[in-house]
Amino acid sequence: MKDNTKKAIRWGIMGTGWIAEQFAADLSYVRNGEGAAVGSRTRDSAEQFAAKFNIPRAYGSYEELANDPEIDAIYVATPHPFHRDNVITALRGGKAVLCEKPITVNSRELEEIVDLAKEKGLFLMEAMWTRFLPPIVQVRTWLEEGRIGEIRLVKAEFGFRSDWNPSGRLLNPELGGGALLDAGIYPLSFASMIFGSNPEKVWSTAHVGVTGVDEQFSILLDYGQGRTASLHGAIRLDLTNEAYIYGTEGSIHIPSFLNAKTATLQVKGREAETVTDDREAVGYAFEAEEVGRCLLAGETESAAITLAESLGIMRLLDQVRSQWGVKYPFEAGSEQ
């Protein structure tokens, strides 16, 4: 049920694309926040977006949005090659930031914005919405309770067959295209949630297509003590998009884990236990509520996905791309 009462956290949305629309629509389900302004590169785009989602103010630049004194937090919903600059703009405006995944294109950029957020004492979080979905929260509880014993193996994959558009975001190296950053961030973040972001060994392989981006990949991570993760992603191949967690006493299965609505626990000798989420919202409301909770509590990070973990994941992404020899044109002449 939507909540129409006055909310504590006033949100600004930076960008007006598809993901921004998903977040804006879900704000109507957020108990501690509401949409207050939107910023785009053109005023016309911002005004159309504001009218569609009943947002009071529209700005024709990101700087105007960041400098709005009535805004508490900004959701950065632009393509990931622009995240670094957009987050810096928001932080310099004194705003808390929730930045869409992947939070940057490499660890060097992430280190820069983390340093700035800490210098200014401002909240910053990667928008890994999967972490906050009720079935995934329940999965973490099952794991913390030791319901499946010692965790040994994680399997997760996310892939889809996109249309062939070499100049589009997914296949264009100038736009940070490729399966790893767009789709792969989900299984890698899922494995990190369980095993941490610093595996002892990393093996990977990828198919790099004619445009120079990775179209599909496989990654095997060794965390020591018999703990491994098998992860796969693709942008030109449909995958099952499931996740499995195997332990010495049972297993957990999560269909369509990145936007999970169910999760099933199977312990040896017992009936399966399934949790189901009947939410009306798409699911972005939960991460927005977590940001609001942190801000109202005076916290500058969320324990559910810390900046240190996001840095660990981004360094892992850098390492994997290095194994493939994939570097974006805008990274030329700089260290990843």
Side-chain angles (χ1 to χ4, degrees), residues 124-126 131 301-313:
L124 175 63
M125 187 179 90
E126 182 173 22
R131 292 285 176 100
E301 293 187 51
S302 168
I305 181 162
T306 65
L307 294 175
E309 184 184 5
S310 288
L311 270 167
I313 294 170

Side-chain angles (χ1 to χ4, degrees), residues 261-274:
K261 287 196 172 183
T262 67
T264 299
L265 170 72
Q266 181 68 68
V267 177
K268 287 191 297 184
R270 300 182 182 179
E271 288 190 11
E273 181 179 335
T274 298

Side-chain angles (χ1 to χ4, degrees), residues 95-115:
K95 304 300 187 287
V97 177
L98 173 67
C99 182
E100 188 49 51
K101 61 79 194 166
I103 189 166
T104 54
V105 296
N106 57 46
S107 59
R108 174 181 50 79
E109 289 187 350
L110 183 50
E111 287 165 0
E112 183 179 0
I113 63 173
V114 166
D115 287 346

Side-chain angles (χ1 to χ4, degrees), residues 25-27 29-30 129 261 277-286:
D26 258 23
L27 278 177
Y29 296 95
V30 174
W129 70 308
K261 287 196 172 183
D277 177 22
D278 295 322
R279 64 181 181 264
E280 295 180 29
V282 176
Y284 298 95
F286 301 111

Side-chain angles (χ1 to χ4, degrees), residues 89-329:
T89 295
L91 291 173
R92 286 178 176 166
K95 304 300 187 287
V97 177
L98 173 67
C99 182
E100 188 49 51
K101 61 79 194 166
I103 189 166
T104 54
V105 296
N106 57 46
S107 59
R108 174 181 50 79
E109 289 187 350
L110 183 50
E111 287 165 0
E112 183 179 0
I113 63 173
V114 166
D115 287 346
L116 181 59
K118 290 183 176 180
E119 174 190 326
K120 291 185 171 293
L122 293 169
F123 180 92
L124 175 63
M125 187 179 90
E126 182 173 22
M128 182 48 65
W129 70 308
T130 295
R131 292 285 176 100
F132 305 97
L133 300 175
I136 301 298
V137 173
Q138 181 60 62
V139 166
R140 291 206 299 272
T141 299
W142 285 336
L143 297 178
E144 290 165 2
E145 293 172 347
R147 297 285 296 278
I148 63 170
E150 297 178 13
I151 307 167
R152 298 294 195 195
L153 175 64
V154 170
K155 294 171 62 179
E157 61 182 37
F158 175 46
F160 52 91
R161 184 165 177 80
S162 65
D163 294 333
W164 180 253
N165 181 8
S167 62
R169 179 179 62 85
L170 290 174
L171 294 170
N172 188 343
E174 294 282 357
L175 298 177
L180 184 66
L181 265 61
D182 191 83
I185 186 70
Y186 284 109
L188 266 78
S189 183
F190 186 79
S192 177
M193 180 185 78
I194 298 165
F195 287 140
S197 59
N198 297 295
E200 295 182 2
K201 298 177 182 178
V202 179
W203 298 274
S204 69
T205 185
H207 167 61
V208 178
V210 295
T211 66
V213 304
D214 51 296
E215 295 184 7
Q216 69 187 66
F217 69 82
S218 296
I219 298 173
L220 182 63
L221 304 177
D222 180 355
Y223 294 86
Q225 300 179 323
R227 302 174 300 162
T228 58
S230 176
L231 313 172
H232 311 272
I235 53 173
R236 293 282 292 159
L237 189 68
D238 287 323
L239 302 180
T240 65
N241 304 336
E242 298 179 311
Y244 291 87
I245 309 168
Y246 296 97
T248 53
E249 301 299 325
S251 62
I252 296 171
H253 174 219
I254 312 161
S256 191
F257 75 98
L258 69 155
N259 58 355
K261 287 196 172 183
T262 67
T264 299
L265 170 72
Q266 181 68 68
V267 177
K268 287 191 297 184
R270 300 182 182 179
E271 288 190 11
E273 181 179 335
T274 298
V275 60
T276 301
D277 177 22
D278 295 322
R279 64 181 181 264
E280 295 180 29
V282 176
Y284 298 95
F286 301 111
E287 63 179 1
E289 285 193 348
E290 171 65 5
V291 175
R293 184 200 65 76
C294 289
L295 294 180
L296 293 172
E299 300 170 4
T300 56
E301 293 187 51
S302 168
I305 181 162
T306 65
L307 294 175
E309 184 184 5
S310 288
L311 270 167
I313 294 170
M314 189 55 62
R315 287 168 181 152
L316 180 58
L317 293 172
D318 287 350
Q319 182 179 353
V320 168
R321 278 202 294 128
S322 179
Q323 290 181 357
W324 306 337
V326 171
K327 192 171 186 177
Y328 303 118

